Amino acid sequence: QSALTQPASVSGSPGQSITISCTGTSSDVGAYNYVSWYQQHPGKAPKLMAYDVTERPSGVSNRFSGSKSGSTASLTISGLQAGDEATYYCSSYTTGSTLVFGGGTKLTVL
Amino acid sequence: QVQLVQSGVDVKKPGASVKVSCKASGYSFTNYGISWVRQAPGQGLEWMGWISANNGNTNYAQKFQGRVTITTDTSTTTAYMELRRLRSDDTAFYYCARSPPVVNRVDYWGQGTLVTVSS
Protein backbone atom coordinates (compact mmCIF):
# COMPACT_ATOMS: atom_id res chain seq x y z
CA GLN A 1 0.00 0.00 0.00
CA SER A 2 1.62 3.27 -1.10
CA ALA A 3 1.38 6.42 0.98
CA LEU A 4 -1.22 9.00 0.04
CA THR A 5 0.18 12.03 -1.81
CA GLN A 6 0.29 15.41 -0.07
CA PRO A 7 2.17 18.59 -0.99
CA ALA A 8 5.35 18.90 1.05
CA SER A 9 4.55 22.43 2.18
CA VAL A 10 1.95 25.17 2.08
CA SER A 11 1.97 28.66 3.54
CA GLY A 12 -0.40 31.48 4.28
CA SER A 13 -0.71 34.72 6.20
CA PRO A 14 -2.71 35.14 9.39
CA GLY A 15 -6.41 35.44 8.63
CA GLN A 16 -6.13 33.80 5.23
CA SER A 17 -7.39 30.37 4.20
CA ILE A 18 -5.31 27.49 2.91
CA THR A 19 -6.18 24.09 1.51
CA ILE A 20 -4.10 20.90 1.78
CA SER A 21 -4.78 18.12 -0.70
CA CYS A 22 -4.49 14.38 -0.17
CA THR A 23 -4.56 12.18 -3.27
CA GLY A 24 -5.08 8.45 -3.18
CA THR A 25 -6.58 5.79 -5.39
CA SER A 26 -9.80 3.85 -5.93
CA SER A 27 -8.52 1.42 -3.28
CA ASP A 28 -8.40 3.96 -0.47
CA VAL A 29 -9.59 7.60 -0.65
CA GLY A 30 -11.86 6.89 -3.60
CA ALA A 31 -13.36 3.77 -2.05
CA TYR A 32 -14.65 5.03 1.30
CA ASN A 33 -15.62 8.20 3.12
CA TYR A 34 -13.05 7.35 5.77
CA VAL A 35 -10.49 10.11 5.35
CA SER A 36 -9.04 11.67 8.51
CA TRP A 37 -6.69 14.58 9.16
CA TYR A 38 -4.11 15.00 11.93
CA GLN A 39 -2.13 17.97 13.19
CA GLN A 40 1.34 17.42 14.62
CA HIS A 41 3.42 20.08 16.34
CA PRO A 42 7.16 19.41 16.69
CA GLY A 43 7.95 16.96 19.45
CA LYS A 44 4.30 16.16 20.07
CA ALA A 45 1.96 13.28 19.25
CA PRO A 46 -0.47 13.85 16.37
CA LYS A 47 -3.97 15.15 17.11
CA LEU A 48 -7.10 14.17 15.20
CA MET A 49 -8.62 17.24 13.49
CA ALA A 50 -11.23 15.70 11.17
CA TYR A 51 -12.59 12.25 10.37
CA ASP A 52 -15.06 10.57 8.00
CA VAL A 53 -14.10 13.32 5.51
CA THR A 54 -16.17 16.13 7.04
CA GLU A 55 -16.65 15.38 10.74
CA ARG A 56 -14.81 17.27 13.51
CA PRO A 57 -14.01 15.79 16.91
CA SER A 58 -15.36 17.65 19.90
CA GLY A 59 -13.17 20.63 20.73
CA VAL A 60 -11.72 21.13 17.25
CA SER A 61 -12.35 24.58 15.81
CA ASN A 62 -14.83 24.93 12.95
CA ARG A 63 -12.04 26.75 11.10
CA PHE A 64 -10.94 23.26 10.06
CA SER A 65 -13.11 21.64 7.40
CA GLY A 66 -12.71 18.58 5.24
CA SER A 67 -14.02 17.60 1.83
CA LYS A 68 -13.51 14.97 -0.83
CA SER A 69 -13.94 14.60 -4.56
CA GLY A 70 -13.18 11.27 -6.17
CA SER A 71 -9.79 10.06 -4.94
CA THR A 72 -8.66 13.44 -3.61
CA ALA A 73 -9.51 14.74 -0.17
CA SER A 74 -8.82 18.23 1.14
CA LEU A 75 -8.45 20.01 4.45
CA THR A 76 -9.22 23.72 4.51
CA ILE A 77 -8.08 25.92 7.38
CA SER A 78 -9.73 29.32 7.44
CA GLY A 79 -8.75 32.36 9.49
CA LEU A 80 -5.15 31.13 9.81
CA GLN A 81 -3.55 31.60 13.21
CA ALA A 82 0.05 31.31 14.34
CA GLY A 83 -0.83 28.21 16.37
CA ASP A 84 -1.95 26.41 13.21
CA GLU A 85 1.68 26.17 12.10
CA ALA A 86 2.35 22.43 12.19
CA THR A 87 2.61 19.39 9.96
CA TYR A 88 -0.68 17.92 8.75
CA TYR A 89 -1.24 14.30 7.76
CA CYS A 90 -4.19 12.65 6.07
CA SER A 91 -5.13 9.00 6.41
CA SER A 92 -7.59 6.70 4.67
CA TYR A 93 -9.08 3.31 5.25
CA THR A 94 -8.24 0.89 2.43
CA THR A 95 -9.89 -2.04 0.65
CA GLY A 96 -7.35 -4.25 2.42
CA SER A 97 -8.85 -3.24 5.79
CA THR A 98 -5.71 -1.31 6.63
CA LEU A 99 -4.96 2.34 7.26
CA VAL A 100 -2.62 4.40 5.09
CA PHE A 101 -1.17 7.85 5.84
CA GLY A 102 -0.10 10.66 3.58
CA GLY A 103 3.47 11.89 3.56
CA GLY A 104 2.63 15.04 5.51
CA THR A 105 2.36 18.75 4.68
CA LYS A 106 4.25 21.40 6.63
CA LEU A 107 2.10 24.50 7.10
CA THR A 108 3.94 27.77 7.60
CA VAL A 109 2.05 30.82 8.84
CA LEU A 110 3.91 33.82 7.43
CA GLN B 1 -10.60 11.15 29.90
CA VAL B 2 -9.05 8.79 27.38
CA GLN B 3 -5.36 8.17 28.10
CA LEU B 4 -2.80 5.93 26.47
CA VAL B 5 0.47 5.71 28.40
CA GLN B 6 3.40 3.99 26.75
CA SER B 7 6.57 2.41 28.06
CA GLY B 8 9.82 4.36 28.05
CA VAL B 9 12.78 4.81 25.73
CA ASP B 10 14.49 1.63 24.57
CA VAL B 11 17.84 0.94 22.93
CA LYS B 12 18.41 -2.28 21.04
CA LYS B 13 21.12 -3.88 18.96
CA PRO B 14 20.51 -4.93 15.35
CA GLY B 15 18.86 -8.33 15.16
CA ALA B 16 17.21 -8.01 18.57
CA SER B 17 13.50 -7.65 19.38
CA VAL B 18 11.64 -4.86 21.16
CA LYS B 19 8.29 -4.94 22.94
CA VAL B 20 6.49 -1.66 23.62
CA SER B 21 3.51 -1.46 25.97
CA CYS B 22 0.50 0.87 25.94
CA LYS B 23 -1.73 1.17 29.01
CA ALA B 24 -5.23 2.41 28.17
CA SER B 25 -7.68 4.10 30.53
CA GLY B 26 -10.75 6.32 30.49
CA TYR B 27 -12.88 4.26 28.10
CA SER B 28 -14.26 0.77 27.61
CA PHE B 29 -11.15 -1.01 26.35
CA THR B 30 -12.90 -3.87 24.55
CA ASN B 31 -15.17 -1.54 22.56
CA TYR B 32 -12.23 -0.30 20.51
CA GLY B 33 -9.06 -1.42 18.82
CA ILE B 34 -5.47 -0.26 19.13
CA SER B 35 -3.31 0.72 16.17
CA TRP B 36 0.46 1.10 16.18
CA VAL B 37 2.00 3.88 14.11
CA ARG B 38 5.68 4.70 13.81
CA GLN B 39 7.57 7.82 12.82
CA ALA B 40 11.25 7.80 11.97
CA PRO B 41 13.14 10.97 12.96
CA GLY B 42 12.09 13.83 10.66
CA GLN B 43 9.83 11.54 8.65
CA GLY B 44 6.10 10.90 8.24
CA LEU B 45 3.62 8.59 9.93
CA GLU B 46 3.54 4.90 9.03
CA TRP B 47 0.72 2.59 10.12
CA MET B 48 2.03 -0.78 11.28
CA GLY B 49 -1.03 -2.72 12.32
CA TRP B 50 -4.14 -2.98 14.48
CA ILE B 51 -5.75 -5.27 16.99
CA SER B 52 -9.34 -5.58 18.10
CA ALA B 53 -9.37 -5.45 21.89
CA ASN B 54 -12.71 -7.26 21.75
CA ASN B 55 -11.65 -10.49 20.06
CA GLY B 56 -7.91 -10.20 19.41
CA ASN B 57 -8.24 -10.10 15.63
CA THR B 58 -5.25 -8.41 14.01
CA ASN B 59 -4.37 -6.84 10.70
CA TYR B 60 -0.85 -5.80 9.77
CA ALA B 61 0.63 -3.62 7.06
CA GLN B 62 2.21 -5.82 4.42
CA LYS B 63 5.60 -4.23 5.07
CA PHE B 64 5.66 -5.59 8.63
CA GLN B 65 4.00 -8.97 8.10
CA GLY B 66 6.02 -11.69 9.81
CA ARG B 67 8.11 -9.26 11.83
CA VAL B 68 5.52 -7.61 14.08
CA THR B 69 3.05 -9.00 16.60
CA ILE B 70 0.39 -6.92 18.34
CA THR B 71 -1.37 -8.32 21.40
CA THR B 72 -3.62 -7.12 24.19
CA ASP B 73 -4.20 -8.06 27.83
CA THR B 74 -7.80 -7.14 28.60
CA SER B 75 -7.29 -7.78 32.33
CA THR B 76 -4.85 -4.86 32.47
CA THR B 77 -6.22 -2.89 29.47
CA THR B 78 -2.75 -2.93 27.96
CA ALA B 79 -1.68 -3.40 24.36
CA TYR B 80 1.74 -4.55 23.22
CA MET B 81 3.71 -4.28 20.00
CA GLU B 82 6.68 -6.56 19.43
CA LEU B 83 9.01 -5.94 16.48
CA ARG B 84 11.63 -8.56 15.71
CA ARG B 85 14.88 -8.68 13.71
CA LEU B 86 15.49 -4.99 14.30
CA ARG B 87 17.52 -2.95 11.82
CA SER B 88 18.97 0.52 12.12
CA ASP B 89 16.15 1.91 9.97
CA ASP B 90 13.65 0.76 12.61
CA THR B 91 14.88 3.63 14.79
CA ALA B 92 11.72 5.66 15.32
CA PHE B 93 9.06 6.88 17.67
CA TYR B 94 6.40 4.20 18.07
CA TYR B 95 2.89 5.38 18.92
CA CYS B 96 -0.13 3.42 20.04
CA ALA B 97 -3.47 4.97 19.21
CA ARG B 98 -7.09 4.07 19.76
CA SER B 99 -9.06 2.97 16.69
CA PRO B 100 -12.75 2.20 16.24
CA PRO B 101 -13.71 -1.48 15.69
CA VAL B 102 -13.11 -0.82 12.00
CA VAL B 103 -9.68 0.80 11.69
CA ASN B 104 -10.90 3.74 9.63
CA ARG B 105 -9.02 6.27 11.77
CA VAL B 106 -7.08 6.70 14.98
CA ASP B 107 -8.39 9.19 17.50
CA TYR B 108 -6.47 9.26 20.79
CA TRP B 109 -2.68 8.81 20.74
CA GLY B 110 -0.11 7.70 23.28
CA GLN B 111 2.90 9.90 23.99
CA GLY B 112 5.21 7.83 21.81
CA THR B 113 8.15 5.58 22.64
CA LEU B 114 11.57 6.19 21.09
CA VAL B 115 13.25 2.97 20.04
CA THR B 116 16.86 3.34 18.94
CA VAL B 117 18.56 0.51 17.08
CA SER B 118 22.32 0.81 17.20
CA SER B 119 25.32 -1.44 17.49
Side-chain angles (χ1 to χ4, degrees):
Chain A
Q1 182 69 53
S2 299
L4 307 176
T5 301
Q6 298 182 235
S9 63
V10 297
S11 63
S13 299
Q16 289 186 330
S17 295
I18 63 95
T19 296
I20 300 171
S21 62
C22 170
T23 301
T25 68
S26 58
S27 296
D28 39 61
V29 176
Y32 305 100
N33 288 325
Y34 288 147
V35 175
S36 297
W37 291 91
Y38 309 86
Q39 175 192 66
Q40 187 179 35
H41 288 111
K44 301 291 189 183
K47 174 187 175 183
L48 179 67
M49 304 302 286
Y51 66 96
D52 293 356
V53 180
T54 61
E55 300 298 310
R56 274 188 307 276
S58 174
V60 172
S61 170
N62 60 8
R63 296 186 300 107
F64 293 82
S65 62
S67 61
K68 192 188 89 165
S69 177
S71 295
T72 298
S74 299
L75 176 71
T76 297
I77 309 174
S78 59
L80 269 181
Q81 299 177 358
D84 298 333
E85 186 162 294
T87 299
Y88 291 82
Y89 295 91
C90 61
S91 73
S92 175
Y93 186 59
T94 79
T95 54
S97 301
T98 63
L99 197 65
V100 62
F101 284 96
T105 298
K106 182 174 171 59
L107 168 62
T108 300
V109 180
L110 302 171
Chain B
Q1 73 283 21
V2 175
Q3 279 196 306
L4 299 169
V5 179
Q6 300 182 221
S7 48
V9 173
D10 212 338
V11 180
K12 297 292 185 184
K13 293 194 182 305
S17 298
V18 68
K19 192 168 187 177
V20 181
S21 68
C22 170
K23 167 73 174 173
S25 62
Y27 70 97
S28 178
F29 186 66
T30 53
N31 283 354
Y32 292 84
I34 294 286
S35 284
W36 287 87
V37 178
R38 79 175 186 181
Q39 185 172 37
Q43 302 301 308
L45 302 174
E46 183 173 34
W47 183 82
M48 300 178 67
W50 164 90
I51 186 167
S52 164
N54 180 47
N55 57 23
N57 287 347
T58 55
N59 200 3
Y60 301 120
Q62 191 170 8
K63 175 177 178 177
F64 299 100
Q65 289 271 6
R67 210 160 65 95
V68 69
T69 301
I70 299 173
T71 57
T72 57
D73 181 342
T74 55
S75 69
T76 60
T77 64
T78 301
Y80 300 91
M81 186 284 297
E82 180 180 36
L83 187 62
R84 299 177 292 278
R85 303 191 298 277
L86 290 168
R87 308 183 293 256
S88 58
D89 61 358
D90 290 319
T91 293
F93 280 93
Y94 289 79
Y95 292 98
C96 64
R98 192 180 76 166
S99 287
V102 171
V103 61
N104 53 14
R105 67 179 178 271
V106 292
D107 51 18
Y108 292 90
W109 296 70
Q111 84 275 20
T113 296
L114 177 60
V115 175
T116 300
V117 182
S118 174
S119 55

